[in-house]
Amino acid sequence: MVEENRGGKRLLPRRRVVMPLLAAAGCAMVGAQWLQSRQQARIVRRDDALLDGEPHDLTLSWPYAGTSTLYNVALRQDFFSQYRLDVHLREGVLTGRDAIADLQAGRCMAAVAPLLSWLQAFQADVVLPARLVMGLQAGTFRLLVRRRLRIAKIEDLVGHRIAVLNADMADRLFFSVILRCKGLNPDTAPNWVILPPDQIDDALLAGSVDAVALHDPLAWQLLGNPALDLVELVNSVNGLYARRTNLALGISADVLQQTPSAAVALVLALSSAARWLPAHMPEAATLLDGRVAGMRQDAILQMMRHEVLGISPVGNDLKIQIARYVDELKLLGLFPDSLDSAGYARHISADILHHGPGARP
């Protein structure tokens, strides 16, 4: 349910509890460059016995996969076909919750969603028929504010109106974490205004919202629009959050048990695409040319150079990140303090490259 202000804009209800909905980075730094390199080296030395050499069809639910750099690289640079995968995308998937719902209902075999959306789903449904097998990419969240307001720090947003696309989008939830870390109540400090993407420009120009919380490519497009005169106040591509995985890949328990080689092939294909991407940004921008509305190849390349690419933790590296997210959610009351975070991370994940898809290390 939403509320309306006097101008008719829909606002998120202040009484709504934001803490269980966290879907982005927490308040602590995780993952150093050497750790990522070590993880990638282990994948290169993979055991080919985990692959059966057979072709596999997979239905994948991935929000806005058509504009995802990683998905397009995996598809159009033939990483999927290299591992004999024919990947079919679910249509109309707008959020991580949509993707998880597809997997729960059996409409897909694998799903991509923010890692903390997965945690919320696992907490709500202890028999969620899936395991997390890899992280996919860092977040590209950007909080943009109108320059004329001279907002210098996130604490200055108290009482201001922040536009978001959806109450449960990772954009809003990421910056809710930041507000919480600053000692503010993310429900009551700002006024969150839900707007469709085609109304955000007009709302900023009219002054009916003061800031916007979005992710690339839309956030990058707004930032580059001189008519809007926006400045970037906070983002997730620098500092503490730069190397945190945002999205995670979950694979259904049936696939892990019945066709484990298909799961291994999907992880290896996406890991290979993630390794290829940082060293081939111009080629990747070419793959996306014409696929992102309002952006051509040169603009896409410029955007990519201001993002963190190549994040794809698996195995123990993924478990460490999951456990740290759980620890952060303990601070917000979602999980009990007595919960063994590392054990919980092991319970909801599968290290399919090193222990096999059916293993529960």
Side-chain angles (χ1 to χ4, degrees):
M1 181 178 293
V2 295
E3 300 172 345
E4 293 187 357
N5 63 11
R6 294 179 180 176
K9 299 295 185 182
R10 295 186 294 165
L11 306 181
L12 300 188
R14 292 183 180 276
R15 64 182 179 273
R16 183 168 186 162
V17 179
V18 68
M19 294 182 293
L21 300 178
L22 297 172
C27 308
M29 183 175 184
V30 67
Q33 181 64 48
W34 70 269
L35 193 62
Q36 179 77 4
S37 299
R38 180 166 61 90
Q39 169 255 316
Q40 291 174 346
R42 288 201 301 266
I43 293 175
V44 172
R45 298 192 300 269
R46 68 185 181 274
D47 183 0
D48 287 333
L50 295 173
L51 298 170
D52 60 10
E54 297 296 322
H56 294 284
D57 290 343
L58 277 175
T59 303
L60 177 63
S61 189
W62 186 329
Y64 293 106
T67 60
S68 165
T69 305
L70 182 60
Y71 175 80
N72 276 278
V73 166
L75 177 67
R76 304 180 70 197
Q77 285 295 118
D78 298 325
F79 289 107
F80 287 147
S81 61
Q82 176 184 336
Y83 290 94
R84 307 200 69 185
L85 288 174
D86 189 2
V87 175
H88 308 276
L89 279 179
R90 286 276 303 162
E91 295 183 359
V93 183
L94 302 179
T95 69
R97 283 189 168 191
D98 293 339
I100 295 171
D102 277 345
L103 190 143
Q104 287 176 305
R107 294 188 292 265
C108 68
M109 305 159 77
V112 173
L115 199 157
L116 291 180
S117 290
W118 281 111
L119 284 177
Q120 182 193 8
F122 276 109
Q123 187 223 21
D125 184 355
V126 294
V127 293
L128 181 66
R131 290 293 177 267
L132 303 182
V133 296
M134 73 181 301
L136 290 178
Q137 63 188 51
T140 59
F141 309 114
R142 303 180 192 275
L143 182 58
L144 312 178
V145 300
R146 295 165 58 207
R147 188 188 304 272
R148 64 180 296 273
L149 297 177
R150 301 187 182 277
I151 295 174
K153 55 186 184 298
I154 198 164
E155 295 94 320
D156 296 337
L157 286 170
V158 173
H160 286 284
R161 299 153 298 180
I162 305 177
V164 289
L165 299 181
N166 185 288
D168 299 324
M169 292 288 283
D171 316 291
R172 182 262 172 109
L173 302 169
F174 173 79
F175 293 110
S176 293
V177 174
I178 304 295
L179 289 165
R180 180 69 69 184
C181 290
K182 295 294 185 180
L184 300 173
N185 186 329
D187 276 335
T188 59
N191 295 318
W192 301 97
V193 182
I194 302 174
L195 288 175
D198 60 356
Q199 292 182 20
I200 289 178
D201 291 47
D202 290 340
L204 287 166
L205 288 171
S208 56
V209 296
D210 306 309
V212 58
L214 292 170
H215 60 276
D216 293 348
L218 183 53
W220 185 259
Q221 291 174 295
L222 293 175
L223 184 61
N225 184 344
L228 300 179
D229 197 24
L230 299 173
V231 294
E232 190 169 29
L233 183 65
V234 185
N235 64 45
S236 66
V237 299
N238 295 300
L240 295 177
Y241 307 100
R243 303 205 66 80
R244 291 288 292 266
T245 187
N246 170 38
L247 301 179
L249 173 69
I251 297 182
S252 76
D254 286 345
V255 171
L256 293 175
Q257 294 170 6
Q258 298 171 14
T259 53
S261 290
V264 171
L266 181 59
V267 170
L268 290 175
L270 291 172
S271 295
S272 298
R275 290 198 306 275
W276 180 90
L277 184 52
H280 300 86
M281 283 191 285
E283 295 97 317
T286 300
L287 298 179
L288 284 172
D289 192 18
R291 294 178 177 269
V292 181
M295 296 185 73
R296 305 305 302 176
Q297 180 179 343
D298 56 345
I300 293 171
L301 179 58
Q302 184 183 20
M303 177 183 71
M304 292 171 60
R305 286 173 172 162
H306 289 81
E307 298 177 344
V308 180
L309 306 176
I311 303 296
S312 58
V314 297
N316 191 59
D317 298 334
L318 177 62
K319 292 183 180 72
I320 289 172
Q321 294 212 21
I322 294 173
R324 295 203 179 195
Y325 277 121
V326 173
D327 283 337
E328 291 158 2
L329 294 178
K330 286 181 183 180
L331 298 175
L332 299 175
L334 179 58
F335 288 102
D337 291 339
S338 59
L339 179 67
D340 175 7
S341 300
Y344 189 79
R346 289 193 298 271
H347 176 70
I348 66 172
S349 64
D351 188 357
I352 66 175
L353 297 187
H354 309 116
H355 297 280
R360 294 296 302 275

